[in-house]
Amino acid sequence: MTTGHCLCGACAFAFDGPANWQAYCHCESCRHATAAPVAAYIAAPAGSWRWTGAAPKVYESSPGQRWHFCPTCGSHLAYDSDRYPEEIHFMAALVDDPSGIAMAAHAHAEERLPWLTMHDGLPRE
């Protein structure tokens, strides 16, 4: 089981089994939602995950695009989309034991900030 929580601990999540994937995202939307130059996600399969603490607030940035965040501390917890009904994307850095997470790719690498260079050899999508 994989578990994680926000900064204040009010909102928490868990999922069973392996993740669908783990990747960095460089898109402008993720950068703005997380206030970071790149976001790192772990995708939990639909039906395997649950909120185990307080329910997060949800912001729908455009139809079918939802960002989940803690209403107390503001931590960005997850992203889900009607385009990806088979999963939710949790912030990998919030996982209680992130040592077992290995990023596998870079998504939206064409939107990468020019001052951030990551020489990890991972595929760029």
Side-chain angles (χ1 to χ4, degrees):
M1 179 184 312
T2 301
T3 59
H5 60 87
C6 66
L7 177 63
C8 73
C11 294
F13 60 87
F15 67 91
D16 301 309
N20 287 353
W21 52 263
Q22 293 118 179
Y24 297 109
C25 185
H26 296 270
C27 82
E28 183 178 8
S29 293
C30 285
R31 292 196 320 265
H32 283 131
T34 63
V38 65
Y41 289 106
I42 182 168
S48 74
W49 68 272
R50 62 207 163 276
W51 298 114
T52 57
K57 290 283 190 177
V58 179
Y59 170 66
E60 189 168 23
S61 59
S62 59
Q65 311 299 311
R66 292 167 296 276
W67 305 88
H68 304 259
F69 62 94
C70 176
T72 303
C73 68
S75 293
H76 175 68
L77 297 160
Y79 164 79
D80 81 287
S81 171
D82 291 350
R83 291 182 357 202
Y84 310 110
E86 69 281 358
E87 61 197 17
I88 188 169
H89 307 160
F90 288 111
M91 298 306 300
L94 298 181
V95 170
D96 291 329
D97 182 10
S99 64
I101 297 173
M103 295 293 123
H106 290 266
H108 303 287
E110 71 281 359
E111 295 183 48
R112 172 187 75 76
L113 292 174
W115 47 264
L116 177 70
T117 304
M118 300 170 74
H119 299 285
D120 54 20
L122 296 176
R124 266 70 172 152
E125 301 171 2

